[in-house]
Amino acid sequence: MLKFKAAGILLIASSLLGAGDQAHAQAPGKLSVRLDKSSPKIQPTMWGIFFEDINFAADGGIYAEMVKNRSFEFADPMMGWDDKPVNGADASLLIVNRGSGSNARYASISLKNSKGSYILTNEGFRGMGFEKGNQCNFSILAHAVEGNINVSVEAVDENGKSIGHASVDGIKGDWKTYHASFTPTETASKGKLNVIFEGQGGIEIDMVSLFPTDTWKHRPNGMRADLVQKLADLKPGFMRFPGGCIVEGRDLANRYQWKSTVGDVADRQLIINRWNMEMKDHQAPDYFQSFGLGFYEYFQLCEDIGASPLPILNCGMACQYNSAEVVSLNQIDPFIQDALDLIEFANGSADTKWGKLRAAMGHPAPFNLKMIGVGNEQWGEQYVDRFRLFSKAIWAKYPEIKLVGSAGPYPGGDLFTYLSKVMRQEKTSLLDEHYYMRPEWFLKNVTRYDNYDRNSSKVFAGEYAAHIDDKTQKDAHAESHNTWYSALSEAAFMTGLERNADVVQMASYAPLLARVDAWQWRPDLIWFDNLHSVATPNYYVQQMFSKYKGTNVASVQLNGKAVTGQDSLYSSAVFDADKKQLIIKVVNASAAPRHIDLNIEQSKGKNGKAEWIQLSSNDKLAFNSLDNPDRVHPETKSITWNYKKQEIKLEGQSVNVFIVSYPEL
Ligand code: AHR
């Protein structure tokens, strides 16, 4: 149990407040607050986000490219494409392989008579989302081989009706990129794009692309603004990327290699997404990684949303649940060099090889990388052997970089026990613990970190989410398992993380994003389709902690003890020395309301102001959907705060944050 010298918020429940769900009829408890500025600091990185390209999070998700298989590099080069000659056209299409390079294939089209037109249709990612009035920008890499062919593009809705059109003018001569724009006249969430060829002759095409104009910060090759805004609204202290198992790959050839994801978008070598056929009931043969969203864009996103970047790199091991391939120790140098080069890419001056590339891509200033993860969910001696080589090389050159190491895939058991001990001996800066467990586990494990060694490696709760039991809940929510109960239990658990913020210095829910019509894994924090997105109750819980993370931990006690589930109450508190606020989080996991009194000990003032944010539902299985996005959402009210005795009635099944202005700080 953590001990604080003098500081603390003392939550005293009345002796009557112990009879389970009947307690609402009983006398209120009392809360006393004392503050000590020397209490443990909360790291700015405390609450962050975990980004992995799973559930079409990148291609078909946050990466706003609307054309699927834009460069014909999928295993089936015409996947996502359909072609048809109309009105008497005599046309043919050949997929040609240049024989080398990262974007080897292109399409060669011949029109033999000048009748009709030849239409190449792209289906997008489960359709394309067109929004009335939101301009779309088309581009195509083309080589006019012979004759005279006119190219135009047309957006069509789900019934084939034209809702936007533009000519691609002036195509002639050798390979060059051409642009055209149109503004949809109607909204369609499952539209398609026709690329229309008319005339006679031959033309070769590649990198057929369509983006909405209103990407995040209106960047070309940009990201979906609505999704990035949701990330920004979480105020994440860090962003972990690119995963997850995607870092490891099903085999080493399929691992994530950051160097293939930077530089000219057309030269980024596409690979199959490891989640493509991983899940028996959720196969997605059309799931690839184009790397249009690559490491430069990840770093830029981190900067945009104020998150410290945390790249996780392959450590010479493929996923141990799949091939479990490893690179032999005497051939691991290129993997280590990748890590060293990444630090140079992020932080090096424009005079260095990789810093120069970053500058050429548009960011001369460093990205201020401070930490790197070596391996994702690895385990066993083979992992430690490889981690050791990475850490030796990285710390020799960059002693200031923090290294995140794996604690294995589970929160306990032999794999965990072994790594918890050995990785501490390796002086790993942060140990990455994962727990995908039942809500009951989260409620029970709120004291998990109370007895962790304070003078050893810190903890990164790098992937966690409460998973309800599918077998018992199947029919309750066809679309989402992000139930209110899962979020409530996570909130309770997070009070334990916050209370132990001197040890748990980073935490992120996982996974982050999921397409409603193409997911592989749930629950997930944010759900989306082509045009809309919805925040889950779990999202709001993350936001309530992250937005109000404070600068220092304070203690909350119930009858002299931390509030860890007594009478179904869970609580933690922090203060923000800069904003002069005291922030108290109280979770009532009981279905019944609870009455508590709060007072701040030693306070000289009587009345002040406070905001009370409350997230609650009396339906444990409630979830938010695209059609019903606000079923569980936070409500904020302003109240006058009596520092001596503030009476509060907590709703049943509620997460509450009290932000008390406290000028005496
Ligand atoms: O978050 C989904 C997966 O869970 C991650 O890719 C992996 O690290 C974990 O097993």
Side-chain angles (χ1 to χ4, degrees):
M1 151 96 70
L2 259 186
K3 293 208 174 73
F4 299 94
K5 280 180 201 141
I9 298 164
L10 186 63
L11 173 66
I12 306 166
S14 105
S15 56
L16 293 174
L17 189 71
D21 290 354
Q22 300 310 312
H24 61 284
Q26 301 160 354
K30 290 173 191 165
L31 181 108
S32 290
V33 181
R34 284 171 294 146
L35 296 166
D36 176 0
K37 285 184 192 166
S38 66
S39 61
K41 268 202 169 319
I42 293 165
Q43 299 302 314
T45 50
M46 180 69 197
W47 307 108
I49 53 178
F50 161 96
F51 187 98
E52 175 168 23
D53 189 5
I54 184 172
N55 307 315
F56 285 77
D59 287 334
I62 202 166
Y63 181 51
E65 173 64 86
M66 294 158 79
V67 175
K68 183 167 75 183
N69 191 14
R70 64 185 171 191
S71 58
F72 310 100
E73 301 296 326
F74 281 20
D76 168 357
M78 287 302 284
M79 186 178 259
W81 293 97
D82 207 5
D83 68 325
K84 63 170 182 221
V86 294
N87 298 332
D90 180 7
S92 64
L93 176 143
L94 265 184
I95 296 296
V96 186
N97 194 315
R98 293 179 178 93
S100 65
S102 46
N103 178 12
R105 294 191 192 132
Y106 60 88
S108 174
I109 293 158
S110 303
L111 298 187
K112 298 191 182 72
N113 57 16
S114 52
K115 290 188 200 152
S117 43
Y118 176 68
I119 304 178
L120 259 186
T121 301
N122 190 273
E123 66 186 19
F125 295 90
R126 310 297 190 274
M128 287 182 190
F130 295 111
E131 212 165 6
K132 183 177 173 179
N134 183 9
Q135 183 183 306
C136 293
N137 301 321
F138 174 81
S139 63
I140 188 168
L141 191 57
H143 170 209
V145 182
E146 58 177 344
N148 190 15
I149 296 184
N150 294 323
V151 180
S152 60
V153 283
E154 177 189 45
V156 293
D157 71 8
E158 27 285 275
N159 302 313
K161 185 179 138 197
S162 177
I163 55 171
H165 183 269
S167 299
V168 188
D169 295 328
I171 299 183
K172 61 170 194 265
D174 212 351
W175 287 101
K176 208 177 123 190
T177 300
Y178 298 86
H179 300 269
S181 298
F182 59 85
T183 302
T185 50
E186 280 172 39
T187 294
S189 63
K190 289 202 175 279
K192 290 181 180 172
L193 180 75
N194 291 333
V195 188
I196 304 162
F197 302 86
E198 286 164 329
Q200 195 169 6
I203 186 168
E204 295 170 341
I205 60 164
D206 204 351
M207 290 301 286
V208 185
S209 170
L210 186 70
F211 276 86
T213 293
D214 71 340
T215 55
W216 173 254
K217 291 189 181 278
H218 293 269
R219 290 198 182 110
N221 190 49
M223 299 190 209
R224 260 179 67 168
D226 63 326
L227 292 176
V228 178
Q229 189 60 55
K230 278 205 167 56
L231 304 188
D233 291 346
L234 280 170
K235 304 266 176 254
F238 68 90
M239 183 170 101
R240 170 187 179 143
F241 60 88
C245 291
I246 209 156
V247 169
E248 305 164 46
R250 291 176 63 87
D251 55 24
L252 280 172
N254 180 230
R255 74 188 189 278
Y256 197 103
Q257 300 186 58
W258 75 266
K259 286 176 182 165
S260 325
T261 76
V262 292
D264 190 335
V265 173
D267 296 333
R268 301 182 191 177
Q269 176 116 41
L270 173 143
I271 63 170
I272 196 164
N273 186 302
R274 62 141 302 130
W275 296 105
N276 177 305
M277 302 295 269
E278 178 82 23
M279 303 304 212
K280 200 163 98 343
D281 298 329
H282 292 274
Q283 303 211 331
D286 57 344
Y287 199 2
F288 287 77
Q289 297 183 83
S290 72
F291 297 119
L293 166 54
F295 260 48
Y296 177 85
E297 291 78 16
Y298 279 126
F299 279 119
Q300 198 176 39
L301 174 61
C302 289
E303 187 173 81
D304 287 351
I305 62 179
S308 193
L310 170 55
I312 306 284
L313 298 183
N314 187 292
C315 64
M317 298 176 76
C319 180
Q320 289 165 276
Y321 290 112
N322 299 134
S323 70
E325 263 186 338
V326 296
V327 70
S328 70
L329 293 175
N330 57 19
Q331 289 184 324
I332 205 168
D333 285 356
F335 290 72
I336 296 176
Q337 193 57 48
D338 276 357
L340 296 171
D341 290 344
L342 179 65
I343 300 171
E344 186 177 291
F345 177 74
N347 293 351
S349 78
D351 300 336
T352 61
K353 176 177 172 193
W354 292 101
K356 187 173 172 189
L357 175 61
R358 182 197 69 240
M361 289 182 75
H363 203 285
F367 278 123
N368 203 15
L369 177 68
K370 292 185 178 146
M371 51 193 171
I372 277 197
V374 177
N376 175 46
E377 216 169 48
Q378 323 300 157
W379 65 78
E381 282 176 32
Q382 64 272 45
Y383 171 57
V384 180
D385 289 345
R386 283 160 184 77
F387 179 88
R388 198 172 285 136
L389 296 176
F390 270 81
S391 61
K392 193 170 166 219
I394 294 173
W395 279 334
K397 194 161 181 197
Y398 300 106
E400 72 286 2
I401 292 284
K402 284 188 181 168
L403 290 186
V404 173
S406 171
Y410 312 116
D414 292 349
L415 301 181
F416 178 85
T417 307
Y418 169 72
L419 285 179
S420 292
K421 183 171 163 221
V422 179
M423 294 298 280
R424 282 189 164 78
Q425 288 162 359
E426 294 298 320
K427 308 247 177 286
T428 313
S429 320
L430 289 133
L431 275 180
D432 179 12
E433 298 189 1
H434 293 185
Y435 17 88
Y436 296 105
M437 306 297 280
R438 299 271 180 254
E440 297 72 28
W441 182 93
F442 281 86
L443 293 173
K444 266 195 217 127
N445 280 273
V446 66
T447 57
R448 178 180 174 89
Y449 296 107
D450 288 4
N451 297 314
Y452 264 50
D453 185 351
R454 268 45 209 172
N455 299 309
S456 165
S457 304
K458 302 300 177 191
V459 171
F460 168 33
E463 295 184 28
Y464 65 90
H467 284 223
I468 63 160
D469 186 345
D470 274 358
K471 287 180 217 79
T472 57
Q473 307 294 344
K474 208 165 202 155
D475 301 329
H477 28 69
E479 188 179 276
S480 165
H481 283 195
N482 285 91
T483 61
W484 171 230
Y485 184 47
S486 70
L488 187 69
S489 68
E490 286 155 11
F493 181 77
M494 287 165 74
T495 63
L497 302 185
E498 187 168 81
R499 191 159 38 81
N500 287 287
D502 57 329
V503 167
V504 186
Q505 298 197 335
M506 298 168 70
S508 46
Y509 181 99
L512 183 63
L513 292 164
R515 265 194 84 97
V516 292
D517 49 8
W519 56 271
Q520 289 75 51
W521 179 295
R522 69 179 175 191
D524 308 281
L525 211 57
I526 299 165
W527 289 80
F528 61 90
D529 66 10
N530 279 328
L531 291 175
H532 308 104
S533 56
V534 58
T536 58
N538 316 70
Y539 173 97
Y540 291 123
V541 164
Q542 292 293 319
Q543 191 178 45
M544 286 162 83
F545 278 77
S546 185
K547 260 179 103 169
Y548 303 102
K549 63 170 158 276
T551 56
N552 297 73
V553 182
S555 74
V556 179
Q557 293 189 336
L558 178 66
N559 294 333
K561 291 192 176 141
V563 191
T564 58
Q566 306 92 310
D567 300 314
S568 299
L569 291 176
Y570 301 81
S571 185
S572 58
V574 298
F575 61 88
D576 192 314
D578 305 325
K579 294 183 186 152
K580 301 205 180 298
Q581 289 170 337
L582 170 67
I583 300 156
I584 308 160
K585 293 160 186 132
V586 190
V587 177
N588 176 14
S590 156
R594 295 273 188 248
H595 288 263
I596 54 170
D597 287 351
L598 299 116
N599 97 306
I600 303 172
E601 279 188 6
Q602 299 166 346
S603 173
K604 296 183 195 98
K606 186 156 187 296
N607 288 332
K609 287 203 170 105
E611 298 268 286
W612 177 1
I613 307 173
Q614 181 188 278
L615 188 63
S616 72
S617 171
N618 55 16
D619 180 1
K620 279 185 172 183
L621 294 181
F623 64 94
N624 295 339
S625 65
L626 290 170
D627 293 333
N628 194 354
D630 291 326
R631 203 157 156 211
V632 185
H633 71 279
E635 278 167 16
T636 304
K637 56 185 166 194
S638 296
I639 54 176
T640 301
W641 190 271
N642 185 328
Y643 299 115
K644 303 288 180 202
K645 182 185 175 192
Q646 180 64 43
E647 294 177 9
I648 296 289
K649 179 189 167 196
L650 302 169
E651 290 297 328
Q653 291 170 185
S654 64
V655 178
N656 305 272
V657 181
F658 302 99
I659 304 127
V660 184
S661 76
Y662 196 67
E664 291 167 50
L665 270 172

